[in-house]
Amino acid sequence: PGTTGELEDPPGLYEKVEYLLSEWVRHFHQPGLLRDGDKIYAAYVARLQQQGILKNDDLIQRFFRISMEMCVELCYRTLNDPVNGGMSRPKCYHTMDAFVKLVVVLVRYSGESSNTLAKVNLLNKVLLTVTQVLLADHEKRQVEFHQLPYHRFFIMILNDLCSPDPVFDAINFPVLQCFCTAYHMVRPSKAPGFAYTWLELISHRVFVSKLLLQTPQQKGWPLFHQLLIDVFKFLSPFLRNAELVKPTQTLYKGTLRVLLVLLHDFPEFLCDYHFSFCDVIPPNCIQMRNLILSAFPRNMRLPDPFTPNLKVELLPDIQNAPRILPAYIQLIIPDLKKNLDNYIKTRAPVTFLQELRGHLQISSEPGKQYNSSLINALVLYVGTQAIAFIHSKSGTPSPTTIAHTAHMDIFQHLVVDLDTEGRYLFLNAIANQLRYPNSHTHFFSCALLSLFAETNHEAIQEQITRVLLERLIVNRPHPWGLLITFIDLIKNPTYNFWKHDFVHCAPEIERLFESVAKSCMQKQPT
Amino acid sequence: GVAPLGPISLGQDKVYQLRMLESAYKHMPEPSDSEKVRPYLQRTPYPTPPYHPQHSPSHMDSYDFYQRLSIETLFFIFYYMEGTKAQYMAAKALKKLSWRFHTKYMTWFQRLEEPNTITDDYEMGTYIYFDYEKWAQRKKDGFTFEYRYLEDRDLP
């Protein structure tokens, strides 16, 4: 089948479609549709057949493309017509709803009643055609582009296909797949003029509950993960620069709301994909990342981090590894991976450590010197290997058991060898693992504190403190593991925390530490 | 600072994205865009003063709440909010008050007294009904309520 729009339409097709479509819109709005719907639909499908529209895939696709373009044109005329007053939106709904019903009817009646493949294929074709119309319209009209007709199309068709109906119930998951593919194709970076509607579509209650709750075996999770990655990636450069104009702020706020709903209703989803999300969210988006890192499985009870003498190593959950989706190890370049594994096994050669920084560095431009994805993957991989190693010696991670291992060699080396920018990314990669009670949280908490204790460089200790503190001075929520680690740092005399110069470098910093300490401990530090 | 890694210069594509986002901001999607058409009670957003309730009470979607509403209100919801959960709740509350829906006249009836005749197919007697055109309750003597027009589904 030819790509839509590439070849010219056969002569007379446009007029035919125009006629058939207006006939349908009349049918759709006539009274009695509710009662005699099936009869009217069957008659109309027969009419399309007789007009030769359903002869082959190419014609069907052209029919949908031309119809959609006509509906969109009509919406533009209505919306841009000053005479309409308050009635322009309902007029657009009138047309779009009729077209949506036509699609739903054709999908429902395509193929034999049990032929689910035919129905899904047709739906897929329609959705792809509409995304092409959208992208072309976006390209053509630029700042005059209007989201409304596409919004109405996607949301109404989804609502219809998700309402209880034995035919549609059977194809629920493939239908959702079609929508996810279509949404991904018109993601904000491809169609920024559609971004607000897009966020509404992907966070719509029906869509989210179908994908995350009602699809068995969590098959919808990777699909939804992709869409969230799409919006994070789009926002990332603007958020990173922290120069937010009103339109970006609004999209950012909307995204935060979606995350808040997910944190409340589907915390396990955020838990499983935290690594991947943190990989695309810029380091300065502290609250957004805290929302993700604060998620914990609903059946878990977290001990109050402020409990005096809380023994983290005695918590049973500390033994269990969290689930990390999707596989992150691929992010480590195969060559590097081989040498890394070799170093972990033999603790040699020393040249491996010396060359490591070169692998992580990708340019000399300040602000983007490092491959932060690689740093994140490396840190997590080394950590999980360390945990496996300690478990194999039947120990649990503690400041003593993690010391003097190949794994800590790597971390110790990096924290000294990297410059401020690299170290910031590296320490952030560690802090991203400080979440609910699990083996990763425990290991990385020990590792970060031991990095603090084992160095003579005040600058490194200052940076570790900075990474922890900046995640705590923002509004709630705060990840459990982050609080545990920070409280240990300021309470445990081993770290001599209050003796360091950076704690007293400026009166407002000193006051800040005191207020954080006050909220973390019952007693004032002396 | 808030941009710890320092600002990066936004490329041509990002500048374009920002421009398109700004133009989209001028015509944001509205709540009605993702809802079924409301033929009678369209949404008309308006900035209401902050001392006025901005949200409906939290228990407003419960059956208990509908049972406390006046008959008039229930009829209003039934006729003007078609195809919504509110209509369903109103119908349920009306049934609880012994109102019966006549599917031919699309009208709610209530027995005023015990029917004179009751057979397997109909009952006959004096009823009050709600006239949705004149918007008032009226009395009807000697009315035959055929059971085939009785809407008698149990609403869960």
Side-chain angles (χ1 to χ4, degrees):
Chain A
T3 333
T4 333
E6 219 170 63
L7 296 161
E8 261 185 49
D9 293 321
L13 183 66
Y14 185 90
E15 291 73 16
K16 198 186 260 182
V17 173
E18 189 172 33
Y19 180 73
L20 285 167
L21 189 65
S22 60
E23 192 178 29
W24 170 260
V25 176
R26 263 200 321 279
H27 274 320
F28 177 72
H29 291 290
Q30 80 189 30
L33 187 80
L34 211 60
R35 203 173 46 237
D36 310 319
D38 283 341
K39 231 187 286 167
I40 296 173
Y41 301 149
Y44 191 78
V45 173
R47 180 138 167 72
L48 286 181
Q49 228 135 25
Q50 168 209 337
Q51 290 289 315
I53 295 291
L54 308 179
K55 217 171 2 188
N56 58 44
D57 277 5
D58 181 55
L59 269 178
I60 293 175
Q61 232 154 325
R62 283 173 197 279
F63 172 74
F64 281 123
R65 194 197 76 239
I66 298 172
S67 305
M68 184 66 188
E69 285 170 351
M70 280 174 182
C71 294
V72 170
E73 280 306 318
L74 197 127
C75 288
Y76 275 106
R77 274 205 304 280
T78 315
L79 290 166
N80 295 333
D81 181 359
V83 185
N84 270 306
M87 279 312 286
S88 58
R89 284 187 117 80
K91 269 194 179 165
C92 295
Y93 303 156
H94 182 92
T95 313
M96 292 312 301
D97 290 0
F99 179 54
V100 162
K101 192 71 193 179
L102 176 60
V103 173
V104 172
V105 166
L106 286 173
V107 168
R108 201 171 191 287
Y109 290 91
S110 95
E112 297 296 306
S113 62
S114 60
N115 187 347
T116 53
L117 199 63
K119 298 180 210 308
V120 174
N121 278 345
L122 183 64
L123 176 68
N124 208 18
K125 270 187 211 119
V126 180
L127 292 187
L128 293 187
T129 305
V130 170
T131 60
Q132 282 163 355
V133 173
L134 189 159
L135 291 173
D137 187 24
H138 188 270
E139 177 81 32
K140 184 181 111 192
R141 290 197 214 243
Q142 297 282 318
V143 294
E144 302 297 318
F145 175 78
H146 224 301
Q147 313 172 74
L148 174 64
Y150 306 99
H151 189 181
R152 193 75 185 170
F153 173 82
F154 281 117
I155 202 65
M156 284 300 149
I157 199 162
L158 182 83
N159 272 340
D160 257 17
L161 295 176
C162 286
S163 53
D165 175 324
V167 175
F168 293 142
D169 287 347
I171 51 171
N172 229 304
F173 183 60
V175 163
L176 292 171
Q177 278 178 309
C178 292
F179 274 92
C180 289
T181 311
Y183 290 166
H184 179 62
M185 288 183 63
V186 294
R187 59 191 177 274
S189 55
K190 292 279 173 203
F194 189 59
Y196 299 111
T197 291
W198 188 89
L199 188 65
E200 283 225 354
L201 289 173
I202 71 149
S203 60
H204 192 266
R205 62 197 151 72
V206 173
F207 186 63
V208 174
S209 80
K210 281 271 168 195
L211 261 186
L212 296 187
L213 194 66
Q214 293 167 38
T215 306
Q217 297 153 341
Q218 304 178 346
K219 275 196 295 180
W221 288 25
L223 303 176
F224 195 63
H225 161 251
Q226 176 63 58
L227 297 173
L228 276 186
I229 290 284
D230 286 343
V231 67
F232 291 145
K233 275 195 176 156
F234 174 76
L235 280 170
S236 174
F238 309 116
L239 294 178
R240 183 204 146 112
N241 281 4
E243 275 174 30
L244 294 187
V245 286
K246 200 87 188 49
T248 333
Q249 266 180 41
T250 306
L251 193 65
Y252 168 75
K253 264 194 203 159
T255 311
L256 278 193
R257 281 189 185 190
V258 176
L259 281 175
L260 213 52
V261 170
L262 293 173
L263 177 64
H264 186 269
D265 288 359
F266 305 100
E268 291 88 356
F269 171 76
L270 291 183
C271 284
D272 284 3
Y273 289 99
H274 93 284
F275 180 84
S276 163
F277 292 146
C278 289
D279 215 28
V280 289
I281 296 176
N284 61 333
C285 299
I286 293 169
Q287 187 168 41
M288 185 178 249
R289 204 180 33 216
N290 272 356
L291 281 174
I292 292 164
L293 299 182
S294 300
F296 59 93
R298 255 170 301 190
N299 56 10
M300 202 177 250
R301 290 283 158 269
L302 305 194
D304 181 1
F306 304 114
T307 317
N309 301 317
L310 176 68
K311 292 273 179 284
V312 174
E313 56 278 9
L314 297 182
L315 299 173
D317 291 320
I318 282 308
Q319 300 295 325
N320 307 328
R323 189 154 74 141
I324 308 283
L325 291 172
Y328 64 94
I329 297 175
Q330 284 123 274
L331 295 171
I332 308 174
I333 311 144
D335 258 1
L336 176 61
K337 171 86 168 34
K338 212 174 69 196
N339 295 338
L340 179 63
D341 284 335
N342 179 47
Y343 184 84
I344 290 176
K345 209 188 278 169
T346 63
R347 235 179 148 180
V350 188
T351 48
F352 170 77
L353 292 181
Q354 288 155 354
E355 286 158 9
L356 194 50
R357 176 181 172 166
H359 288 290
L360 304 177
Q361 224 157 359
I362 43 171
S363 79
S364 54
E365 218 178 308
K368 41 178 168 180
Q369 286 184 67
Y370 291 95
N371 181 346
S372 60
S373 290
L374 183 55
I375 295 179
N376 290 338
L378 182 92
V379 165
L380 183 56
Y381 180 68
V382 171
T384 53
Q385 292 298 306
I387 296 165
F389 174 75
I390 295 163
H391 282 177
S392 75
K393 305 245 156 176
S394 357
T396 45
S398 75
T400 353
T401 52
I402 67 168
H404 312 299
T405 55
H407 316 94
M408 279 314 281
D409 283 353
I410 298 171
F411 286 178
Q412 298 278 9
H413 181 82
L414 283 176
V415 86
V416 177
D417 195 33
L418 292 171
D419 61 2
T420 314
E421 183 182 329
R423 199 181 301 125
Y424 183 67
L425 295 171
F426 168 69
L427 295 173
N428 264 311
I430 294 181
N432 286 349
Q433 310 307 325
L434 305 176
R435 301 186 290 150
Y436 59 91
N438 63 50
S439 65
H440 291 184
T441 297
H442 185 43
F443 170 80
F444 284 104
S445 177
C446 292
L448 195 61
L449 291 171
S450 109
L451 288 176
F452 188 96
E454 300 284 309
T455 182
N456 304 319
H457 298 283
E458 182 94 355
I460 295 175
Q461 292 170 325
E462 181 176 346
Q463 229 177 342
I464 293 175
T465 310
R466 181 229 162 108
V467 164
L468 291 173
L469 190 69
E470 72 178 2
R471 291 175 185 230
L472 288 171
I473 54 173
V474 296
N475 286 329
R476 290 189 308 159
H478 303 124
W480 182 87
L482 189 73
L483 278 166
I484 288 290
T485 310
F486 189 72
I487 292 171
D488 201 16
L489 179 67
I490 60 173
K491 273 175 102 169
N492 195 329
T494 345
Y495 305 115
N496 259 326
F497 183 77
W498 300 100
K499 302 276 175 356
H500 289 288
D501 283 345
F502 57 82
V503 180
H504 310 285
C505 67
E508 63 268 28
I509 300 282
E510 206 165 355
R511 271 202 300 276
L512 179 71
F513 274 114
E514 276 167 17
S515 83
V516 172
K518 217 184 278 174
S519 63
C520 289
M521 300 189 277
Q522 315 312 81
K523 258 190 341 185
Q524 261 295 93
T526 44
Chain B
V2 270
L5 297 176
I8 42 166
S9 64
L10 297 180
Q12 207 59 71
D13 57 331
K14 302 284 180 265
V15 174
Y16 165 75
Q17 288 178 0
L18 212 50
R19 197 164 57 99
M20 288 303 284
L21 194 67
E22 275 165 13
S23 71
Y25 184 71
K26 289 183 196 121
H27 26 78
M28 284 284 227
E30 287 181 12
S32 61
D33 293 350
S34 47
E35 293 172 342
K36 269 194 228 161
V37 173
R38 306 175 172 203
Y40 304 108
L41 305 167
Q42 279 148 28
R43 279 182 188 266
T44 43
Y46 187 82
T48 52
Y51 50 81
H52 197 273
Q54 306 289 314
H55 305 282
S56 44
S58 56
H59 59 283
M60 233 188 95
D61 52 355
S62 69
Y63 178 49
D64 281 350
F65 181 86
Y66 281 81
Q67 282 184 298
R68 295 210 307 271
L69 297 175
S70 71
I71 304 267
E72 284 257 316
T73 312
L74 293 175
F75 285 130
F76 177 78
I77 295 170
F78 184 83
Y79 286 108
Y80 285 87
M81 299 173 77
E82 201 182 321
T84 62
K85 190 176 172 194
Q87 188 194 36
Y88 170 87
M89 292 293 225
K92 202 170 150 174
L94 283 168
K95 283 190 176 186
K96 180 82 190 287
L97 296 167
S98 304
W99 286 86
R100 299 288 172 261
F101 190 63
H102 195 290
T103 56
K104 187 179 167 195
Y105 299 123
M106 302 298 234
T107 299
W108 291 88
F109 286 82
Q110 194 184 43
R111 287 178 184 172
L112 195 60
E113 54 195 30
E114 265 306 297
N116 304 335
T117 330
I118 298 186
T119 73
D120 282 352
D121 299 326
Y122 67 89
E123 59 181 59
M124 201 190 79
T126 308
Y127 294 83
I128 44 174
Y129 67 97
F130 188 78
D131 181 342
Y132 59 84
E133 276 167 342
K134 299 276 188 297
W135 205 254
Q137 290 185 37
R138 287 169 190 274
K139 196 172 119 185
K140 199 163 186 87
D141 294 313
F143 177 69
T144 307
F145 199 132
E146 291 182 67
Y147 289 147
R148 63 187 170 122
Y149 295 125
L150 175 67
E151 197 282 317
D152 59 355
R153 269 180 301 168
D154 268 334
L155 301 183

